[in-house]
Amino acid sequence: MRLRALLETDALGLRLLGGEDELDRTVRGVMTTDLRDPSRYLSGGELVLTGLAWRRDAADSEPFVRILAGAGVAGLAAGEAELGDIPGDLVEACARHRLPLFAVNETVAFATITEHVVRQVSGERAGDLAAVVDRHRRLMTSGPAGGGPEVVLDLLGSDLDLHAWVLSPTGRQIAGAGETSLPEPVGAALAGRHLAATRTGRRAPHRATVEGTTYSLFPIRNTGRGALPASRDVRESVLSDWLLAVEADASDWPPARLDLLQGVTQLIAVERDRRDAARTVRRRLAQEVLELVQTGAPPAEIAARLRVAAPVLLPGLGTAPHWQVVVARVEWGDAEGRSATGTPAGTAPSGPSGSDIAGGPVAQALLEEILVDPAVTGPDTADRIAVAHTGEEAVALVPLPALGASAPDRDAEADTAHEDPALHADVLLAAVREPLSAGLADDGRLTLGVSAAVHSPEGLRGALEEARHARRVAAARPGRVCAAGHHELASHVLLLPFVPDDVRRAFTARLLDPLRDYDRRHRAELIPTLETFLDCDGSWTRCAARLHLHVNTLRYRVGRIEQLTGRDLSRLEDKLDFFLALRMS
């Protein structure tokens, strides 16, 4: 029941003194106390009744209210029989802690309020539990049989008044009841909280509060034909499972209602298996093309397979598409905290080492999700995506409409909208970096490389190598989730990933360690000054303006940099050395 219902019951003699905006709080019980610290008896959600015997002077109100607010009580009702009017210091303390405060008329016994609350709460729980059994039966008989997860979510909304959404591991909305959609940032935040809780081994459902709203997160385990092999380690499935986000706090739900929600997740898992089966054709096409490209098959044979793939991936397209290749790799740390390639990756949890976890299927599932437009809802938006996996990497074959070509029935506005349909590495991961980083935690990495678009079978082999080179460039960068595109392969960054680690450390230490040490001792900000100076192409005026410094101060700092390193920032060679050292650090 809600606090508002108590206030509207005249027989209870309650008068609101503060907290009008909090009257929709749920009351789960009632407690009468005159202890100065009743926290040991509170579990949250109670209406606390007090005769104010704990109050000796005005200073006692603040700690008492702080304890109640910290325990999560629903509200405080103070009797007027002892002191008459409720003290102003208590009213002010409740206002500071946003705790609803009621005055109880001296003619009303606390026992009357207690009996009313207990009767209402118990009646609601009994009715809810009785109805849950029937709802469970209805859900199991009316579950998805081609109607999609929305059927189940609509039943949750109509029968249990629960708003719920099915989300992908990156927070993309796959299904929701009615027309209510989760904002993209909320979905991403919920997915990140769910992945982080799963990685720590916390038992579901997971509770998360985002933008003032509390959600309960239930995993949707993929156990059908499209599932990964039986997991020995949570890392094998954490980045591929869907989740059910329910706008409610399930922490105090009875077992029957929790069982009902578990049944809902099982129904949605069956639906996911059905839809994943449709993706098998696209995966097989990608696998066939990838094998032909890697084995050096004749271009005519590759072209034949592409002609088969194009209608499946781009139905109705009148012209032969261009193609892009995207390569992804997921690596986990082993028991010594190093990745399969020897790069430090944090401390791995107990279980198999990182090298024992099959990275290819995980990367395949992730890449299929990443290549879906995050602004588009629904599970069928991946029809254009064909992803294979070989070894520890996943390879996506992405068709694009012929660049620069216009179909006869396309107007000028549509031409503009499709002017650049190519994928860009920096855009692909923007919306998914936060949740995926939570799932990768301290011991996993996702790296991704994107090729340029090619328009012939002859170009696919080069595109594949280009995407793999770009992925290695991304792997040389710090961070859990990194991507690089083909345009970066024409610059110095192509060379940096292949510099041995010991050479890299020696080079950067010789140039930058003296500056870092000086910054630590004097807070001189020489490193940021150096970065900005190089970014401004050595322009004193622009650099000083960007750093909000006088030019003479900037000259002093640059002089100190030259003095500490023995370099001359007016020389191109020294500028280049500093630039590379900063990039490699």
Side-chain angles (χ1 to χ4, degrees):
M1 67 179 302
R2 309 282 183 178
L3 282 174
R4 190 181 304 279
L6 294 175
L7 187 63
E8 294 170 352
T9 304
D10 294 337
L12 300 182
L14 296 177
R15 181 164 48 90
L16 183 65
L17 300 180
E20 185 175 0
D21 295 338
E22 307 292 333
L23 290 180
D24 286 325
R25 291 187 180 186
T26 301
V27 179
R28 301 187 178 93
V30 64
M31 175 192 176
T32 300
T33 184
D34 275 313
L35 295 174
R36 298 169 68 88
D37 181 4
S39 57
R40 68 173 69 92
Y41 304 111
L42 297 171
S43 59
E46 297 93 347
L47 174 67
V48 175
L49 306 176
T50 181
L52 300 178
W54 50 265
R55 182 183 179 277
R56 295 180 175 83
D57 55 46
D60 292 336
S61 292
E62 171 64 26
F64 181 77
V65 172
R66 183 171 62 249
I67 289 169
L68 298 186
V73 305
L76 174 64
E80 294 179 322
E82 183 73 20
L83 301 178
D85 291 338
I86 305 303
D89 48 87
L90 181 60
V91 176
E92 293 171 2
C94 288
R96 281 194 296 273
H97 292 277
R98 301 181 64 85
L99 181 66
L101 175 63
F102 303 90
V104 182
N105 191 282
E106 60 181 350
T107 62
V108 178
F110 283 175
T112 301
I113 299 174
T114 300
E115 181 182 354
H116 178 84
V117 172
V118 170
R119 186 171 59 250
Q120 292 295 321
V121 171
S122 299
E124 288 176 0
R125 286 178 178 170
D128 185 53
L129 292 177
V132 157
V133 177
D134 180 62
R135 286 161 181 156
H136 190 276
R137 178 188 58 78
R138 291 183 57 197
L139 285 169
M140 296 306 292
T141 57
S142 305
E150 291 82 0
V151 173
V152 177
L153 301 185
D154 284 337
L155 281 173
L156 285 178
S158 61
D159 282 14
L160 290 179
D161 194 24
L162 291 176
H163 300 291
W165 300 266
V166 178
L167 304 178
S168 77
T170 64
R172 179 176 62 89
Q173 181 176 318
I174 293 169
E179 300 180 355
T180 305
S181 297
L182 274 181
E184 289 179 39
V186 174
L190 290 176
R193 304 281 182 85
H194 173 72
L195 291 174
T198 302
R199 285 302 312 275
T200 59
R202 283 168 47 198
R203 186 176 180 179
H206 306 130
R207 184 178 181 274
T209 301
V210 177
E211 296 184 1
T213 302
T214 299
Y215 301 85
S216 294
L217 310 176
F218 296 80
I220 300 173
R221 307 295 186 193
N222 187 13
T223 57
R225 290 169 295 174
L228 296 173
S231 295
R232 296 168 297 161
D233 188 291
V234 68
R235 293 174 291 180
E236 295 185 68
S237 61
V238 65
L239 296 177
S240 59
D241 286 339
W242 289 357
L243 67 136
L244 177 68
V246 181
E247 188 179 324
D249 185 353
S251 59
D252 64 343
W253 282 4
R257 177 172 277 206
L258 288 174
D259 288 345
L260 173 64
L261 267 294
Q262 294 298 341
V264 168
T265 64
Q266 293 169 13
L267 288 173
I268 297 173
V270 172
E271 177 67 8
R272 178 181 181 178
D273 178 41
R274 185 184 71 81
R275 301 198 182 199
D276 277 353
R279 190 172 287 182
T280 304
V281 175
R282 298 192 294 275
R283 286 180 170 180
R284 187 180 301 120
L285 284 171
Q287 197 72 42
E288 291 174 356
V289 174
L290 177 61
E291 290 175 0
L292 290 174
V293 171
Q294 292 192 134
T295 57
E301 188 175 354
I302 298 175
R305 296 309 303 160
L306 292 178
R307 282 195 295 271
V308 173
V312 176
L313 303 178
L314 281 178
L317 188 67
T319 58
H322 288 62
W323 301 89
Q324 269 184 289
V325 175
V326 183
V327 172
R329 189 180 183 101
V330 174
E331 296 176 289
W332 301 102
D334 58 22
E336 282 71 42
R338 301 184 69 81
S339 72
T341 57
T343 305
T347 302
S350 59
S353 67
S355 58
D356 292 335
I357 298 175
V362 178
Q364 182 183 43
L366 260 186
L367 198 48
E368 287 172 335
E369 169 63 26
I370 290 170
L371 292 175
V372 176
D373 183 354
V376 179
T377 61
D380 289 329
T381 55
D383 286 343
R384 292 177 48 194
I385 300 165
V387 185
H389 73 82
T390 172
E392 294 300 307
E393 71 178 10
V395 179
L397 191 65
V398 183
L400 303 171
L403 303 179
S406 299
D409 58 345
R410 187 185 297 164
D411 56 26
E413 183 178 353
D415 280 339
T416 301
H418 292 79
E419 187 175 354
D420 184 15
L423 300 174
H424 297 275
D426 54 343
V427 176
L428 278 179
L429 296 181
V432 302
R433 180 172 278 107
E434 178 184 350
L436 291 185
S437 296
L440 293 163
D442 295 328
D443 61 332
R445 289 201 78 201
L446 167 67
T447 52
L448 184 145
V450 182
S451 78
V454 296
H455 65 278
S456 67
E458 292 88 344
L460 276 181
R461 187 177 183 86
L464 177 60
E465 291 305 315
E466 191 173 57
R468 283 174 170 163
H469 277 301
R471 192 206 64 79
R472 284 193 285 270
V473 170
R477 294 172 174 166
R480 292 288 161 200
V481 181
C482 299
H486 61 91
H487 61 282
E488 299 180 68
L489 303 184
S491 71
H492 64 278
V493 296
L494 177 60
L495 303 175
L496 298 185
F498 310 105
V499 177
D501 286 344
D502 55 344
V503 175
R504 183 190 297 259
R505 286 191 294 269
F507 182 75
T508 57
R510 185 168 62 251
L511 280 175
L512 301 183
D513 279 3
L515 306 183
R516 292 187 179 120
D517 291 341
Y518 191 86
D519 280 347
R520 275 194 295 269
R521 293 196 309 270
H522 303 284
R523 299 181 181 179
E525 297 188 356
L526 296 185
I527 292 288
T529 301
L530 176 61
E531 290 175 329
T532 307
F533 185 74
L534 295 176
D535 191 48
C536 293
D537 299 323
S539 169
W540 297 97
T541 304
R542 283 193 290 129
C543 182
R546 186 178 299 183
L547 293 173
H548 305 289
L549 298 175
H550 192 278
V551 173
N552 288 342
T553 304
L554 175 62
R555 292 186 183 278
Y556 171 81
R557 288 189 183 179
V558 170
R560 179 64 66 183
I561 292 170
E562 293 175 334
Q563 179 186 13
L564 291 170
T565 61
R567 299 299 187 104
D568 183 354
L569 276 168
S570 65
R571 297 179 66 248
L572 177 60
E573 293 87 346
D574 289 343
K575 286 180 182 177
L576 181 58
D577 283 348
F578 277 123
F579 177 78
L580 293 175
L582 289 168
R583 283 300 181 98
M584 288 191 291
S585 63

